[in-house]
Amino acid sequence: MGASMKRIWLCTSLALFLPLHSAANSSSLSAIYRLREEAYLLRGALIAKVSPDQTTNRALGDGAVFGAQFEIGSISKAFTGITLAQLAVDQKVDLDLPIANYIPEFQGTFIGTVSANELATHRARLINSYVESSGKTSERYTPQELIQFLKVYRPDPTQFPAGTRSYSNLSFAALGLLIQRIEKTESFVEVVKSKVLDPLGMTRTGFISSNSKPKNLVQGFDVLLRAASYYPISDLACASGG
């Protein structure tokens, strides 16, 4: 976010984003939260206002519980993008080369012609997600299952004409696979941890790939205020929303 943009964003357990004035302090953040609490059915929030001079934090509602953690969903994509950027800085990947250069199984396929840049900017002409006839979703795919699906994938030209930008969780799962291959590991999550989380001291940030629900994870709710179930996903799916 550019330095000239005098605002920050409020992320709540309902995944709402609200602009806040840059002059907001701890008391005004609480006031803003109370004004929006009923209108947006907020359950809790962790708010941070960051400026060159200081950082102001405020935990409210469910977020005020000691050690509270929020599931940030697709904001996870930012961590995938940062990891990919770090690999580019380290000259381990050329963002504009076809990914078949790094994943040999994709030679001669449509997905093999796509670049990491296109995947990261939702220009790869991939569908958002996929559900097999058996009911298994792409969020549970193993690396081999993802490879097999992408090898035979062809974009529908009527839905995805050339140059189309279309939001896709599958694109980021493919990025997760690319990052695995570049780092010669079977765990995308571990790459993000070593490249981003550990260097930044983000000891309370992690992924929801474990079958065990994190103890301090704030309960999420849908728009009808029904409690959402804990839903662990595959290592690769963490690249899009873990």
Side-chain angles (χ1 to χ4, degrees), residues 9-92:
W9 297 96
L10 161 66
C11 172
T12 78
S13 55
L14 291 179
L16 294 172
F17 300 87
L18 306 172
L20 301 176
H21 192 274
S22 62
N25 56 32
S26 183
S27 297
S28 61
L29 290 179
S30 298
I32 290 169
Y33 176 83
R34 287 194 298 272
L35 286 173
R36 288 159 171 77
E37 184 175 14
E38 184 173 349
Y40 290 96
L41 303 177
L42 302 184
R43 293 295 300 255
L46 297 173
I47 309 171
K49 180 255 178 177
V50 181
S51 71
D53 302 320
Q54 64 175 345
T55 298
T56 303
N57 299 293
R58 191 68 173 168
L60 299 148
D62 289 350
V65 176
F66 179 77
Q69 293 180 304
F70 284 76
E71 184 180 338
I72 64 172
S74 283
I75 301 174
S76 305
K77 292 179 174 67
F79 290 85
T80 304
I82 292 169
T83 303
L84 181 67
Q86 183 63 58
L87 293 174
V89 168
D90 294 340
Q91 298 185 333
K92 291 185 175 182

Side-chain angles (χ1 to χ4, degrees), residues 125-130 149 153 159-160 167-171:
R125 302 169 70 193
L126 291 177
I127 58 176
N128 184 27
S129 59
Y130 178 72
F149 174 80
Y153 176 84
Q159 183 180 4
F160 301 111
Y167 188 86
S168 173
N169 284 314
L170 272 177
S171 284

Side-chain angles (χ1 to χ4, degrees), residues 5 24 36-37 102 105 110 122 131 146 148 156-157 184 224 228 241:
M5 295 179 64
R36 288 159 171 77
E37 184 175 14
Y102 306 97
E105 296 96 319
F110 166 78
H122 300 284
V131 180
L146 179 66
Q148 291 306 313
D156 180 343
K184 297 179 173 59
L224 298 178

Side-chain angles (χ1 to χ4, degrees), residues 124-222:
R125 302 169 70 193
L126 291 177
I127 58 176
N128 184 27
S129 59
Y130 178 72
V131 180
E132 293 180 341
S133 58
S134 64
K136 186 173 186 177
T137 66
S138 55
E139 286 75 28
R140 301 291 181 96
Y141 272 11
T142 64
Q144 197 55 42
E145 288 171 328
L146 179 66
I147 289 169
Q148 291 306 313
F149 174 80
L150 291 176
K151 280 174 66 174
V152 299
Y153 176 84
R154 298 289 185 278
D156 180 343
T158 61
Q159 183 180 4
F160 301 111
T164 298
R165 187 186 300 274
S166 183
Y167 188 86
S168 173
N169 284 314
L170 272 177
S171 284
F172 272 75
L175 275 181
L177 179 66
L178 175 64
I179 289 169
Q180 279 187 353
R181 289 300 181 87
I182 291 169
E183 288 298 281
K184 297 179 173 59
T185 178
E186 295 183 357
S187 176
F188 161 81
V189 164
E190 286 303 314
V191 178
V192 178
K193 187 174 184 298
S194 65
K195 294 286 185 183
V196 182
L197 303 185
D198 288 347
L200 292 177
M202 300 179 70
T203 58
R204 289 175 52 202
T205 300
F207 293 86
I208 58 172
S209 57
S210 170
N211 287 326
S212 300
K213 181 179 179 179
K215 185 177 67 172
N216 295 322
L217 189 67
V218 173
Q219 175 64 56
F221 299 85
D222 65 16

